């Protein structure tokens, strides 16, 4: 077991499934103490058990990040429990699939509240502490959909373009404080992300990127050099998805 994040404290949003759960496990295996945030408390408790069975340390903080006014009290609790935070992974996200004229204002609001507003509000909570400690890592999970527009994904793409712009700006703003900021842009990943989608998925999910692959990318961003930042990692399925 590689202990590259020894004594680091990492907050991971959207840790109850998919990419977030994989990152949490990978970071805990690398000896970080991890904070797991999502709405489904039972899932988080199960993940905490799995991590602790392997000798890791995890804390569960259930929260709905669309409820913006819960974010500050949530982080007050986290800082009270942990003292400080070294790594933040903004991973929680949602997407709705369909033509623009069928997308509802509620779907738009849910997408932007979680994918954009929560990323902004959560980041605001950790930045002053990271600036004070003159060290930190912020990893935002964007998407290939934050790089180019796609049919039937207009609102999701718009939200992920916002994440791209926000992350690039943060990088410039926080470099002088020795805070590393990375954007990870995955293509199709085999997670529960598509569970509510009515249209059939393309190709076979075995050919999709796996959560573990993204966890490896996140570990590279969190660990890495004292003198270099991995500003952006694009992760595509190895084979084309037909
Ligand atoms: N799967 C892909 O192909 C793909 C590709 C590119 C980028 N991404 C991005 O990767 C990130 C993770 O997605 P995933 O693929 O791992 O999907 P996922 O398995 O559905 O994970 C989404 C996570 O977000 C959490 N979440 C959803 N609504 C929330 C809320 N209101 N408050 C707090 N947490 C909330 C979910 O937990 P609860 O339901 O328990 O709250 C879950 O832990 C997202 O930002 C997504 O946009 C995914």
């Amino acid at each position: 077991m590689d202990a590259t994040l020894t004594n680091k404290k990492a907050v991971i949003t959207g840790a109850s499934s998919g990419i977030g759960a994989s990152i949490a496990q990978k970071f805990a295996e690398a000896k970080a103490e991890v904070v797991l945030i999502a709405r489904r408390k039972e899932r988080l408790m199960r993940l905490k058990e799995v991590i602790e069975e392997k000798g890791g340390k995890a804390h569960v903080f259930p929260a709905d990040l669309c409820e913006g006014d819960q974010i500050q009290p949530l982080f007050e609790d986290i800082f009270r429990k942990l003292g400080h935070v070294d790594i933040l992974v903004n991973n929680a996200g949602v997407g709705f699939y369909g033509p623009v004229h069928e997308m509802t204002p509620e779907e738009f609001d849910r997408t932007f509240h979680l994918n954009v507003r929560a990323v902004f509000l959560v980041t605001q909570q950790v930045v002053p502490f990271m600036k004070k400690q003159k060290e930190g890592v912020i990893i935002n999970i964007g998407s290939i959909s934050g790089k180019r527009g796609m049919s039937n994904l207009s609102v999701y793409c718009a939200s992920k373009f916002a994440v791209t712009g926000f992350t690039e700006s943060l990088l410039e703003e926080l470099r002088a404080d020795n805070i590393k900021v990375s954007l990870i842009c995955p293509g199709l990943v085999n997670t529960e992300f598509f569970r509510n989608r009515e249209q059939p998925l393309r190709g076979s999910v075995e050919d999709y990127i796996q959560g573990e692959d993204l966890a490896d990318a996140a570990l590279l961003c969190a660990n890495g050099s004292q003198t270099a930042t991995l500003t952006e990692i694009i992760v595509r399925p190895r084979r084309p998805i037909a």
Side-chain angles (χ1 to χ4, degrees), residues 14-20 37-40 63-66 91-94 114-115 141-144 156 160 186-195:
S16 60
S17 62
I19 298 168
I37 300 177
R39 292 166 305 176
R40 288 171 293 175
D64 183 345
L65 296 175
C66 285
N91 164 75
V94 72
L114 185 62
N115 297 10
I141 306 299
S143 174
I144 285 290
Y156 180 67
K160 289 298 185 179
L188 285 170
V189 190
N190 182 14
T191 67
E192 296 172 23
F193 193 74
F194 307 100
R195 61 188 173 278

Side-chain angles (χ1 to χ4, degrees), residues 60-135:
V60 166
F61 284 87
D64 183 345
L65 296 175
C66 285
E67 302 290 331
D69 53 0
Q70 289 185 12
I71 290 177
Q72 189 180 344
L74 169 71
F75 273 82
E76 282 168 4
D77 287 350
I78 291 171
F79 278 110
R80 214 172 292 128
K81 181 108 187 170
L82 271 77
H84 72 278
V85 169
D86 302 289
I87 303 164
L88 167 67
V89 184
N90 279 308
N91 164 75
V94 72
F96 296 95
Y97 186 85
V100 66
H101 59 281
E102 289 179 11
M103 209 53 61
T104 66
E106 291 71 30
E107 287 169 336
F108 181 94
D109 287 347
R110 240 183 96 195
T111 307
F112 270 76
H113 271 113
L114 185 62
N115 297 10
V116 184
R117 195 164 187 269
V119 170
F120 157 67
L121 291 174
V122 165
T123 302
Q124 271 196 322
Q125 294 303 313
V126 303
V127 162
F129 288 88
M130 289 182 173
K131 277 168 97 86
K132 216 179 288 166
Q133 68 198 23
K134 286 270 171 227
E135 183 141 24

Side-chain angles (χ1 to χ4, degrees), residues 202-214:
R202 283 191 293 135
S204 146
V205 290
E206 289 84 56
D207 285 336
Y208 288 18
I209 303 160
Q210 303 299 312
E212 170 85 10
D213 299 318
L214 273 311

